[in-house]
Amino acid sequence: MSARARGRRAGESGTRTAILDAARRQFAERGYDRPSLRSIAQEAGVDPTLVTHFYGSKQQLFVTVAEFPFDPAEVLPRLLAGDPESVGLRLARFLLGVLETEEGRARITGLVRAAASEPEAARLVREFVTRDVISPLVESLGAKDAPLRASLVGAQVVGLVMARYVVGVEPLASCDADTVAAAIAPNLQRLLTQPLE
Amino acid sequence: MSARARGRRAGESGTRTAILDAARRQFAERGYDRPSLRSIAQEAGVDPTLVTHFYGSKQQLFVTVAEFPFDPAEVLPRLLAGDPESVGLRLARFLLGVLETEEGRARITGLVRAAASEPEAARLVREFVTRDVISPLVESLGAKDAPLRASLVGAQVVGLVMARYVVGVEPLASCDADTVAAAIAPNLQRLLTQPLE
């Protein structure tokens, strides 16, 4: 994009593109909290009122540019490969692995935090649980009540994100990732493959 | 409180009391979403800018009047009475029982939603997990690593609240409460009394 297209004089679509590019970069590099509508507008070379006009709130802007920090199509086969009796541990380690990188943590905590008040973010979290990752995993494992299992796994994952990374419940918040993965793996395993009741 | 004390002319402390009374009543009766700073100010007989001046945001006001919808001192002995091998089921049924009442659900989802962005609400949720309810329960059960267990139980509870009541992940969101209690009880039981790894 040319310098001119980033400025105010570009048409609406150029302005939107500049805002989204700036938002994507700032959320990815600085997390959810630090960027402001003002800092994003500044980088995009537009007036902050334009950002509000097009996207409303920071949460809405975040949701518009949100992407999972991994590719489900690449992750699923990796989780399904190997002994079904240890898929809970593989899922736990994969999740902790993503959450322990700065970018992954920023994106996922941003999404979960936004989901608490923004219906569009809630929809993205539901899709993660019910369509993109957990449901295909549960269905491939073949246990009955797959949809309920998938939503219970989702509850466990969202709870871990909230308790360890958002609310900061100790000692869970400062515990090393391997200990956390080992502690939650049997619960995930039960929800994935063992009798529910 | 007299009608006069509710008005603007009362001193700052009378004004604060009127705002808190109105907030407590509206959050209890109408949940977290429906009351606005304006509706609370109207009931308190004060100008909305005064509510903002004293309490900042609706979230901060909510946190100021937040109380658990039960008395931990009454609940704990009830959870601890009986077979330690079924304490997970008793805890699950107790939590679902609270969450299935309109008042209990409004208070707890309000607190969890606020915790996603309000540090003071996050502190209340941590206290629930680490001091008032779950920690005393875990410590009474005598398993080692009690603090980590308590925070993992907290993660499970917060995750259930988010997934079933805030984000609305199906079929968990519309599943009957007994099925949900039975499905999460073994995971709570493991975190409460069984080996962690």
Side-chain angles (χ1 to χ4, degrees), chain A residues 16 21 39 41 45 80 83 103 109 124 139 150 153 166 189:
Chain A
R16 282 180 180 267
D21 284 349
S39 72
L80 286 166
D83 187 356
E103 187 195 343
T109 58
L124 280 177
E139 274 157 26
V153 170
V166 175
Q189 185 69 44

Side-chain angles (χ1 to χ4, degrees), chain A residues 28-149:
Chain A
E29 290 181 11
R30 305 174 66 210
Y32 176 76
D33 282 329
R34 281 170 289 176
S36 64
L37 290 183
R38 180 168 298 273
S39 72
I40 289 165
Q42 190 168 34
E43 178 174 335
V46 304
D47 194 273
T49 57
L50 268 185
V51 182
T52 313
H53 173 69
F54 287 138
Y55 297 102
S57 66
K58 183 167 113 175
Q59 281 183 338
Q60 284 171 331
L61 183 57
F62 176 80
V63 167
T64 305
V65 300
E67 289 164 7
F68 294 127
F70 50 83
D71 177 5
E74 185 270 325
V75 171
L76 268 174
R78 199 143 52 86
L79 295 175
L80 286 166
D83 187 356
E85 292 307 304
S86 55
V87 64
L89 185 58
R90 286 196 296 281
L91 177 59
R93 284 185 177 153
F94 164 71
L95 291 168
L96 267 299
V98 171
L99 286 160
E100 294 295 312
T101 67
E102 195 172 340
E103 187 195 343
R105 184 167 56 246
R107 289 210 207 170
I108 292 181
T109 58
L111 209 49
V112 168
R113 294 173 69 165
S117 57
E118 189 70 43
E120 189 62 10
R123 186 184 62 74
L124 280 177
V125 171
R126 281 199 300 273
E127 283 184 5
F128 171 81
V129 175
T130 60
R131 202 191 66 189
D132 290 343
V133 184
I134 299 176
S135 283
L137 177 64
V138 174
E139 274 157 26
S140 302
L141 292 166
K144 73 183 177 85
D145 298 321
L148 180 59
R149 288 171 185 274

Side-chain angles (χ1 to χ4, degrees), chain A residues 113 116 126 156 167 183 187 190, chain B residues 113 116 126 167 183 187 190:
Chain A
R113 294 173 69 165
R126 281 199 300 273
Q156 174 76 74
V167 173
N187 281 11
R190 181 180 155 265
Chain B
R113 294 172 68 163
R126 282 198 300 273
V167 172
N187 280 13
R190 179 178 157 266

